[in-house]
């Protein structure tokens, strides 16, 4: 094997790893975070957990990614540790699908149709389709499918390059000698674990082992210990992910490690114990790609079958390793939803961001509506609730802002990119609305402490503008949550009417002040309240305009507002008149 063969092997390995990465990313984007949502909705049924873990891993092509997601779910409190055990076991089974796909390269037949099942036959076709989709398709989903096809083709080309480059090694005695050393189960396991720990993918390391099989120098006696070690090496990714996580997340990573160590130990004892009695002849035979896939699947299914009934034991073992002493302060609700581990799957991280933004919106709405209810009936418990909700909104704004900046650096599809822009534009408005809710609460508190009351007339007028604000908040928040374009067009006319109401209320107060029907102190408080209400309407307008502008691929808010408010805009003027009739002052 000369220098150029070594270069070919390294290049083939690089293409293989890159193709696997590209294909995995494409599969994740096409799934749009749905696979991860399936995991999130797990029940406590262990068999269902195993099945879903296997399914998700087979789709996203990475047991490491699934396990890291599980660590994130447990860290966030979304999933219990007992649920995580079954998913981790299933992930080990699901990851074997890659080795089965790669084993198709060993198909030998004169039949044209059977030959077409060989990846070397159909991967060029997939590559052509993939390139065509990437270059000419307008649909984002078709481009992602093209990425998957192209990733698979690159993967298979890399596999072929590796196989072709290492084939001459069959005639190198030193290479055969090294492999013979790996027939020692402990050395083989160590080699497999180290290789997988370095490249952080058991699927990829099994693929490399399958490529080496073409030399004919890799016997089953060598391959099986390496496969066992690969399953232990893949635990490194989850263990690294658990650094700095809460204790239950660390326990989930330890469950992954213990599952593979115990499963490997039991398999070694049973397999080599039987070998001492039965003397398995196939251990001396040259392994092929299909045989590697069988051994890989057999071990993982065996380990799951024997350890699933003892899943609670694995959980207890992890709890004994990671004890309860080091209790950290509880995470905020925002931090739980926005775990940094989810950033590895941008589509799911975006889904979590949407959920967090909706919760933030609900918290700001709750604080506002509670504050408005206090204008007629002040309660200290409600005041504390408004402050608590406002603090909650502040936490959401900080967490979402920093999280979305990190997420924006990832590869997102068009839909997710637009949603990210919308959320970034709107979270400031939600936060300011909750600030104004606190201002209204403080005005209600001042009225209560000074034993002041508005006149009946002022109270009736305040109810009209309050109703208008409640309506605009409900509409704009629905627009945000459901991207409701038609409803968004109703917001600006209502915002204009609230501006009119605010001016009219202040004008009427001045008249009452001149007539001696109210005091300057009451007037200041009333002005503070109506000003807060008017500014809340402005923020609602910002939210609605943001949705409309994103729909039109533009963020020129001022130009948009100037255009729709022109006197010759008959539609806008008609909506203004219709809205004005709904909020008549007494």
């Amino acid at each position: 094997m000369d220098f150029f063969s070594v270069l070919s092997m390294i290049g083939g390995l690089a293409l293989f790893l890159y193709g696997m990465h590209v294909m995995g990313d494409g599969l994740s984007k096409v799934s749009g975070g749905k696979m991860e949502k399936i995991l999130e909705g797990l029940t406590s049924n262990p068999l269902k957990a195993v099945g879903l873990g296997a399914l998700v891993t087979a789709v996203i092509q990475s047991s490491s990614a699934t396990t890291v997601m599980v660590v994130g779910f447990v860290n966030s409190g979304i999933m219990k540790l007992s649920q995580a055990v079954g998913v981790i076991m299933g992930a080990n089974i699901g990851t074997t699908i890659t080795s089965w796909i790669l084993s198709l390269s060993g198909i030998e037949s004169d039949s044209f149709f059977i030959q077409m099942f060989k990846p070397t036959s159909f991967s060029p076709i997939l590559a052509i389709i993939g390139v065509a989709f990437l270059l000419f398709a307008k649909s984002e989903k078709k481009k992602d499918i093209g990425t998957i096809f192209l990733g698979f083709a690159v993967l298979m080309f890399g596999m072929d390059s590796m196989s072709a480059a290492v084939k001459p090694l069959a005639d190198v005695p030193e290479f055969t000698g090294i492999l013979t050393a790996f027939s020692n189960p402990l050395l083989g396991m160590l080699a497999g674990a180290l290789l997988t720990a370095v490249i952080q993918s058991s699927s990829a390391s099994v693929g490399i082992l399958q490529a080496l099989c073409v030399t004919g120098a890799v016997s089953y006696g060598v391959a099986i210990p390496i496969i066992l070690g690969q399953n232990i090496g893949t635990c490194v990714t989850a263990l690294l992910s658990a650094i700095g996580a809460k204790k239950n997340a660390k326990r989930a990573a330890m469950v992954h490690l213990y599952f593979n160590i115990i499963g490997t130990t039991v398999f070694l004892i049973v397999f080599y114990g039987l070998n001492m009695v039965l003397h398995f002849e196939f251990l001396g035979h040259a392994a092929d790609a299909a045989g590697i896939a069988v051994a890989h699947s057999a071990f993982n299914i065996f380990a799951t079958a024997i350890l699933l009934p003892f899943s609670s034991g694995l959980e207890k073992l992890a709890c004994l390793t990671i004890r309860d002493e080091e209790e950290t302060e509880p995470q905020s609700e925002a931090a739980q939803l926005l775990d940094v581990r989810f950033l590895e799957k941008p589509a799911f991280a975006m889904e979590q961001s949407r959920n967090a933004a909706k919760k933030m919106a609900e918290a700001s709405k709750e604080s506002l509506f509670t504050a408005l209810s206090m204008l007629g009936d002040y309660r200290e418990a409600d005041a504390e609730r408004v402050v608590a909700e406002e603090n909650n909104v502040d936490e959401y704004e900080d967490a979402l802002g920093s999280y979305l900046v990190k997420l924006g650096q990832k590869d997102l599809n068009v839909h997710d990119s637009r949603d990210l822009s919308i959320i970034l534009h709107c979270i400031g408005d939600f936060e300011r609305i909750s600030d104004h809710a606190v201002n209204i609460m403080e005005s209600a508190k001042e009225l209560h402490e000074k034993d002041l009351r508005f006149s009946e007339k002022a109270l009736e007028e305040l109810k009209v503008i309050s109703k208008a604000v409640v309506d605009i908040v409900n509409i704009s928040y629905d627009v945000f949550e459901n991207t409701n374009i038609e409803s968004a067009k109703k917001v600006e006319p209502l915002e204009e009417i609230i501006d009119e109401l605010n001016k009219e209320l202040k004008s009427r107060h001045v008249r009452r002040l001149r007539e001696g029907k109210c005091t300057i102190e009451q007037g200041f408080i009333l002005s503070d309240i109506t000003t807060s209400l008017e500014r809340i309407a402005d923020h609602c307008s910002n939210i609605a305009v943001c949705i409309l502008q994103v729909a039109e691929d533009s963020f020129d808010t001022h130009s948009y507002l100037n255009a729709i408010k022109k006197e010759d805009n008959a539609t806008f003027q008609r909506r203004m008149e219709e809205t004005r009739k709904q909020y008549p002052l007494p």
Side-chain angles (χ1 to χ4, degrees), residues 111 148 170 192 195 313 330 338 352 399 418 463 491 506 546 560 578:
S111 168
I148 295 168
L195 175 63
L338 305 174
Q352 291 297 96
R418 285 181 174 179
K463 283 179 183 176
V491 172
K506 287 180 177 177
C546 174
Y560 172 80
E578 291 170 354

Side-chain angles (χ1 to χ4, degrees), residues 428-443:
D429 291 300
F430 293 137
E431 194 276 332
R432 291 299 296 141
I433 288 170
S434 68
D435 285 344
H436 289 303
V438 171
N439 294 341
I440 293 169
M441 177 273 291
E442 288 171 347
S443 295

Side-chain angles (χ1 to χ4, degrees), residues 133-145:
F133 277 7
L134 284 172
L135 292 178
F136 306 115
K138 294 181 180 178
S139 161
E140 189 72 20
K141 193 154 192 175
K142 283 184 180 177
K143 286 182 181 289
D144 291 337
I145 291 169

Side-chain angles (χ1 to χ4, degrees), residues 140 145 200-201 332 364 409 450 536:
E140 189 72 20
I145 291 169
Q200 297 209 4
S201 170
S332 67
S364 69
Q409 297 167 6
K450 293 180 179 179
I536 287 167

Side-chain angles (χ1 to χ4, degrees), residues 147-407:
T147 302
I148 295 168
F149 286 174
L150 202 54
F152 181 80
V154 170
L155 180 152
M156 291 313 305
F157 183 77
M159 182 79 171
D160 278 349
S161 298
M162 273 197 298
S163 300
V166 300
K167 205 164 190 176
L169 287 173
D171 301 322
V172 179
E174 291 81 6
F175 173 73
T176 311
I178 292 170
L179 286 182
T180 305
F182 289 152
S183 60
N184 178 313
L186 294 178
L187 283 177
M189 281 172 54
L190 182 62
L194 284 174
L195 175 63
T196 309
V198 170
I199 64 177
Q200 297 209 4
S201 170
S202 60
S203 297
S205 60
V206 169
I208 293 168
L209 183 61
Q210 286 174 306
L212 287 172
C213 286
V214 299
T215 63
V218 180
S219 67
Y220 284 105
V222 170
I224 289 173
I226 293 174
I227 291 168
L228 299 179
Q230 287 166 337
N231 281 276
I232 295 173
T234 196
C235 299
V236 169
T237 312
L239 290 169
L240 291 173
S241 171
I243 294 172
K246 290 163 74 176
K247 61 179 184 298
N248 266 347
K250 291 177 181 175
R251 287 168 180 167
M254 291 306 297
V255 164
H256 190 213
L257 179 64
Y258 286 140
F259 168 72
N260 282 300
I261 289 176
I262 294 170
T264 300
T265 305
V266 174
F267 186 85
L268 279 172
I269 293 169
V270 172
F271 183 79
Y272 287 99
L274 288 171
N275 183 46
M276 289 173 67
V277 178
L278 302 175
H279 305 293
F280 298 133
E281 289 185 13
F282 71 88
L283 289 178
H285 297 169
D288 57 19
I292 297 292
V294 170
H296 193 205
S297 298
F299 165 70
N300 284 296
I301 292 169
F302 169 83
T304 300
I306 62 165
L307 290 178
L308 185 59
F310 305 101
S311 56
S312 59
L314 286 174
E315 189 181 343
K316 286 174 185 173
L317 187 58
C319 290
L320 283 172
T321 310
I322 309 293
R323 297 181 180 274
D324 285 321
E325 300 164 25
E326 34 141 347
E327 191 61 56
T328 55
E329 57 182 78
Q331 282 186 314
S332 67
E333 191 178 22
Q336 287 181 354
L337 280 171
L338 305 174
D339 195 295
V340 291
R341 292 162 190 81
F342 300 151
L343 291 171
E344 292 305 310
K345 294 294 170 190
F348 181 71
M350 195 61 235
E351 187 64 30
Q352 291 297 96
S353 300
R354 290 186 194 98
N355 292 338
K358 288 175 183 177
K359 285 181 180 290
M360 179 186 182
E362 286 300 318
S364 69
K365 186 199 286 189
E366 188 66 33
S367 66
L368 173 61
F369 289 179
T370 303
L372 289 173
S373 71
M374 294 168 65
L375 292 174
D377 182 19
Y378 178 84
R379 294 179 185 176
E380 193 60 41
D382 287 342
E384 292 173 2
R385 189 175 167 194
V386 170
V387 172
E389 291 290 6
E390 197 275 332
N391 289 335
N392 191 22
V393 170
D394 285 347
E395 287 178 355
Y396 268 113
E397 185 189 30
D398 292 342
L400 269 167
S402 57
Y403 196 76
L404 290 172
V405 167
K406 292 175 187 173
L407 185 54

Side-chain angles (χ1 to χ4, degrees), residues 18-29 59-62 148 151 345:
Y18 178 69
M20 183 164 282
H21 172 74
V22 169
M23 186 173 72
D25 280 357
L27 286 163
S28 293
K29 285 179 76 175
V59 171
I60 66 176
Q61 288 283 295
S62 173
I148 295 168
K345 294 294 170 190

